[in-house]
Amino acid sequence: MTTGNPTAPASADSIQRTIDGLAARNVEAFLVESREAALAKIQDLVPEGSEVFVNTSETLDTIGYTGYMHGNDKYVNLHDQMMAQPDPAAQREFRRKTTTADYFVGSVQAIAETGEIVIASSSGSQIGAYSYGARRVILVAGTQKICPTLAEAEARTRGWTLERHDRWLENRGVAPTPIGKYLVMEHEPVAGRISMVLVTESLGW
């Protein structure tokens, strides 16, 4: 079971331990102080002209990156191309191809101070990109998702995060979905492949 307030941003000491823990696992972390700064940081990390897939994310919606990318012809926007496919089957087939995007931007469910990153998904559509397929992965998370240990990060994911996600679906008239795929990222072998933008605000779940 997680402890403390699950919506409260982490302390400065906790954030520094997390940055150090991520670095030890070959994930470069950037700390920013606001959602506006987070948006600017992603824009800095993803060069114009790049092939980009923006994963569905409450966090990316909140900081304005989803809206910034929609219809933006400065990038090769794979999400827009996917949504332009004529039917759900064609969209699913196109979605498979996005896992090898040059840049794949998304979020996560929890981060341990020891550097492990926890991702849960109903479909698993982002798992392949995060773990191997995408050339560069940019992850964005509010520091309220930081937990002292991996066990607490997993408990947050299976508890608080899942409950919030189910309520979010219910509010949209959609039945709750179980966790279909689950990933713990423990070490990235390719230096510079994964970047984590940590925001000192409570963003997403």
Side-chain angles (χ1 to χ4, degrees):
M1 179 180 294
T2 56
T3 58
N5 183 348
T7 66
S11 69
D13 287 345
S14 174
I15 292 169
Q16 188 57 56
R17 287 192 293 270
T18 303
I19 291 172
D20 293 342
L22 289 166
R25 297 173 187 275
N26 224 12
V27 175
E28 184 177 20
F30 301 93
L31 181 64
V32 299
E33 306 241 338
S34 67
R35 60 193 69 188
E36 294 81 10
L39 175 59
K41 188 61 186 179
I42 305 173
Q43 292 168 336
D44 180 55
L45 290 171
V46 182
E48 290 184 3
S50 297
E51 177 189 73
V52 187
F53 187 83
V54 182
N55 198 51
T56 301
S57 163
E58 183 78 7
T59 297
L60 295 181
D61 290 351
T62 301
I63 68 171
Y65 190 69
T66 306
Y68 167 77
M69 285 296 296
H70 181 62
N72 191 332
D73 61 7
K74 295 179 181 179
Y75 305 87
V76 179
N77 189 326
L78 296 179
H79 189 276
D80 280 0
Q81 291 182 21
M82 180 186 74
M83 297 308 295
Q85 298 302 307
D87 58 66
Q91 287 187 14
R92 284 194 298 272
E93 183 61 24
F94 191 93
R95 185 68 165 87
R96 290 177 59 247
K97 299 175 183 178
T98 69
T99 60
T100 58
D102 285 343
Y103 286 84
F104 198 101
V105 185
S107 190
V108 304
Q109 276 64 49
I111 311 157
E113 289 181 7
T114 44
E116 298 95 340
I117 302 168
V118 181
I119 299 102
S121 173
S122 175
S123 68
S125 57
Q126 77 273 49
I127 298 293
Y130 284 4
S131 62
Y132 186 81
R135 185 173 68 86
R136 287 290 310 277
V137 177
I138 312 297
L139 303 172
V140 186
T143 58
Q144 89 282 2
K145 294 184 178 182
I146 292 173
C147 301
T149 66
L150 174 58
E152 288 174 272
E154 294 193 272
R156 176 191 175 88
T157 299
R158 295 184 180 278
W160 166 260
T161 300
L162 185 59
E163 291 167 7
R164 283 291 307 272
H165 183 258
D166 286 351
R167 290 204 300 272
W168 179 79
L169 289 175
E170 288 172 350
N171 289 338
R172 285 155 179 77
V174 179
T177 57
I179 293 174
K181 305 294 189 301
Y182 192 83
L183 174 67
V184 178
M185 299 172 68
E186 297 204 5
H187 186 265
E188 172 53 47
V190 181
R193 178 175 172 267
I194 300 178
S195 298
M196 174 73 73
V197 179
L198 293 170
V199 192
T200 56
E201 291 188 28
S202 182
L203 299 172
W205 309 309

